[in-house]
Amino acid sequence: MDKIVVGIFGRDRPGIVCKVASILAEHNCNIEDISQTVLQGEFCGMFVVSLGEGLTMEALQNILDKELISERLKVFTKELELGEGLESAENESFVVVSIGRDRVGLIAAISCIMYEFGVNISNLKFINRTPAFPDKTLTIYEVDVPKDIKLSDFVSKLKKKASELDLDISVQHKKIFEDICRI
């Protein structure tokens, strides 16, 4: 095992990425991929890391736990499961956007249709009550749609469910979405 996933969770504040990245560098671990976000004031960071020579996942977990306990940060580590990823010529990337009043089950309803069609969610952002939509939620799903499904059936099922839930929903090819957002 030479690559692991490190998850860091805790109350957000400046310097968390600096602290974690510095500890990793100090132990000759290379950050190969990183994603972090803040959800209602909570920091959530995921790092894919190549372990330094002679360092085990368990040893790094102990180091991070010891170094970050005073910061009140929780650490999670696991082996990176290597294999063929879902990004391939067999899929096309789309962006699904839903807007509507918040209630229990919205994400479950939409994501279960995606699952039914074999659509993988590669990125998801849920935004509750923005200045543009003060009484609504905005959910943005970046998805990988298998080329062998009938796209119109998938979109129709999403729109039917959205109508039942009183949601506005749109599905756009990711390249078109990105071009429109650049304008």
Side-chain angles (χ1 to χ4, degrees), residues 1 4 9 12 17 26 32 54-55 80 92 95 117 148 156:
M1 162 190 45
I4 65 168
F9 306 93
D12 187 41
V17 172
E26 185 179 311
E32 295 193 9
L55 189 63
L80 179 66
E92 281 191 85
V95 176
F117 281 85
D148 63 351
S156 290

Side-chain angles (χ1 to χ4, degrees), residues 5-10 16-17 20 33-38 42-48 74-76:
V5 178
V6 177
I8 305 291
F9 306 93
I16 295 174
V17 172
V20 174
D33 205 352
I34 183 173
S35 180
Q36 72 105 125
T37 192
V38 176
E42 288 294 317
F43 175 91
C44 308
M46 300 297 290
F47 301 72
V48 174
K74 300 289 183 194
V75 179
F76 169 82

Side-chain angles (χ1 to χ4, degrees), residues 92-106:
E92 281 191 85
S93 297
F94 286 81
V95 176
V96 177
V97 177
S98 71
I99 302 169
R101 294 199 184 280
D102 187 25
R103 66 179 163 288
V104 173
L106 293 179

Side-chain angles (χ1 to χ4, degrees), residues 134-145:
D135 61 339
K136 296 183 179 181
T137 64
L138 170 68
T139 310
I140 304 168
Y141 304 81
E142 291 181 39
V143 298
D144 298 316
V145 178

Side-chain angles (χ1 to χ4, degrees), residues 98-183:
S98 71
I99 302 169
R101 294 199 184 280
D102 187 25
R103 66 179 163 288
V104 173
L106 293 179
I107 293 173
I110 299 302
S111 64
C112 287
I113 291 171
M114 293 174 180
Y115 171 66
E116 176 185 334
F117 281 85
V119 172
N120 186 58
I121 301 169
S122 57
N123 199 5
L124 172 62
K125 182 67 178 173
F126 176 82
I127 306 162
N128 197 5
R129 296 178 178 86
T130 67
F133 303 104
D135 61 339
K136 296 183 179 181
T137 64
L138 170 68
T139 310
I140 304 168
Y141 304 81
E142 291 181 39
V143 298
D144 298 316
V145 178
K147 285 186 177 179
D148 63 351
I149 71 161
K150 191 171 178 187
L151 186 61
S152 61
D153 289 348
F154 172 60
V155 173
S156 290
K157 188 128 188 200
L158 281 175
K159 289 189 180 237
K160 182 176 186 283
K161 181 55 75 176
S163 177
E164 292 169 12
L165 297 169
D166 195 29
L167 291 174
D168 292 322
I169 199 161
S170 67
V171 180
Q172 290 182 309
H173 197 279
K174 187 174 179 182
K175 289 181 183 186
I176 294 170
F177 181 85
E178 288 171 344
D179 285 347
I180 288 171
C181 289
R182 259 189 236 123
I183 295 175

